[in-house]
Amino acid sequence: MILEKRLEIIIDTLKKEEAVSNKFLTDKLGVSESTLRRDLSYLQDMGKITRVHGGAVLNSIAAREINFTDNQKTMLQEKSLIGQKAARLIKDAKFIYLDAGSTCNELIDYLSSDQDITVVTNGLMHLDKLINKNIPTILLEGEVKPATKVTTGSKTLEAIARYNFDLAFIGANGFDKRGFYTADVNEAVVKSKAIENSTRAYVLADSSKENVKYFATIAKRDEIKLITEEK
């Protein structure tokens, strides 16, 4: 059986089963384990599947965007650790872009009112913490999106284009070996602009978001560094 036909069968099988074992695929295709491994590696490099222990799963695009209220209740220890790591990177940076999101929100807990920084953000959820710490803050204008508590849209993109940052911390709904993703293309372009206008930029995302892909791409994996709770 030629390569193209084998790949077609693997994808069709995964669409039906969502996850399959290597044993199932070798029996179905009538190939050796080494041939199957090469086929699966090829599909994984294309971004179509993810290899897991003993099998493979189909990469699909997540459709549901989790609102901020629900998201802030999950992976609390992991997000706190990420916030600590991110805060240590600020050092002498003075102008910070802090993206919206529950993980970026944790970073504020590790900031000090003594730090000589100005924070620019589109995250409404950050305002109380930043005000309580007396940290100078600029909120980007734009349309308010209630579910994720952000300002977004053309006015937000116009506003962020006026600023340059020493450091940007970006939130993401998902990531894989190819890139970082979010559900809303309007939010994605604001995040991308923040990265473009920053001397240094980092995505803050916990490990539960690994191999989760959404509709809009924020950046390719090699364009920005990832901070997660893992070493």
Side-chain angles (χ1 to χ4, degrees):
M1 187 184 301
I2 62 172
L3 172 63
E4 288 76 9
K5 184 62 177 177
R6 295 200 307 270
L7 300 182
E8 181 183 340
I9 291 172
I10 292 170
I11 294 297
D12 287 345
T13 302
L14 283 168
K15 285 179 179 178
K16 294 175 184 176
E17 305 292 338
E18 293 188 0
V20 293
S21 68
N22 290 342
K23 177 67 165 57
F24 182 89
L25 289 173
T26 53
D27 291 345
K28 187 177 184 68
L29 296 169
V31 297
S32 65
E33 290 186 8
S34 60
T35 297
L36 178 67
R37 283 196 296 270
R38 287 195 295 272
D39 290 352
L40 295 179
S41 293
Y42 183 78
L43 288 170
Q44 182 167 261
D45 289 342
M46 293 174 64
K48 293 184 178 297
I49 70 162
T50 296
R51 296 183 66 185
V52 297
H53 182 68
V57 296
L58 186 67
N59 286 350
S60 58
I61 298 175
R64 179 175 175 266
E65 182 176 31
I66 301 173
N67 64 50
F68 176 77
T69 302
D70 291 337
N71 200 25
Q72 68 175 340
K73 300 174 184 176
T74 64
M75 304 291 283
L76 300 181
Q77 291 183 339
E78 290 82 358
K79 290 174 181 176
S80 179
L81 181 56
I82 293 168
Q84 291 180 55
K85 288 183 177 182
R88 288 197 293 267
L89 294 171
I90 293 176
K91 298 179 181 178
D92 295 331
K94 294 186 181 300
F95 299 100
I96 312 296
Y97 180 73
L98 186 62
D99 196 21
S102 58
T103 308
C104 290
N105 188 255
E106 288 294 319
L107 184 156
I108 304 172
D109 293 339
Y110 302 98
L111 298 180
S112 168
S113 58
D114 296 330
Q115 287 178 273
D116 181 19
I117 59 173
T118 296
V119 171
V120 178
T121 184
N122 70 333
L124 302 175
M125 73 289 293
H126 301 329
L127 296 183
D128 282 346
K129 284 186 177 182
L130 290 166
I131 290 169
N132 289 338
K133 286 180 175 281
N134 294 314
I135 294 173
T137 301
I138 297 170
L139 176 66
L140 297 175
E141 65 176 308
E143 300 173 25
V144 174
K145 185 177 175 183
T148 51
K149 299 186 185 300
V150 304
T151 56
T152 187
S154 59
K155 287 187 178 296
T156 310
L157 187 59
E158 289 173 10
I160 197 172
R162 303 187 191 111
Y163 299 104
N164 295 302
F165 310 107
D166 295 309
L167 197 54
F169 297 109
I170 307 297
N173 295 121
F175 64 92
D176 58 21
K177 63 183 292 185
R178 301 170 72 86
F180 299 95
Y181 311 104
T182 191
D184 188 326
V185 68
N186 289 318
E187 291 188 41
V189 294
V190 172
K191 294 172 190 283
S192 296
K193 192 63 176 178
I195 295 168
E196 180 184 337
N197 287 9
S198 299
T199 303
R200 291 183 291 144
Y202 299 86
V203 168
L204 310 185
D206 65 75
S207 58
S208 70
K209 296 174 181 175
E210 187 171 9
N211 293 320
V212 178
K213 192 172 186 177
Y214 281 82
F215 175 66
T217 297
I218 299 166
K220 293 179 181 178
R221 188 63 186 263
D222 59 0
E223 292 176 335
I224 184 171
K225 293 181 179 180
L226 169 67
I227 301 176
T228 188
E229 77 275 12
E230 298 173 348
K231 292 183 179 179

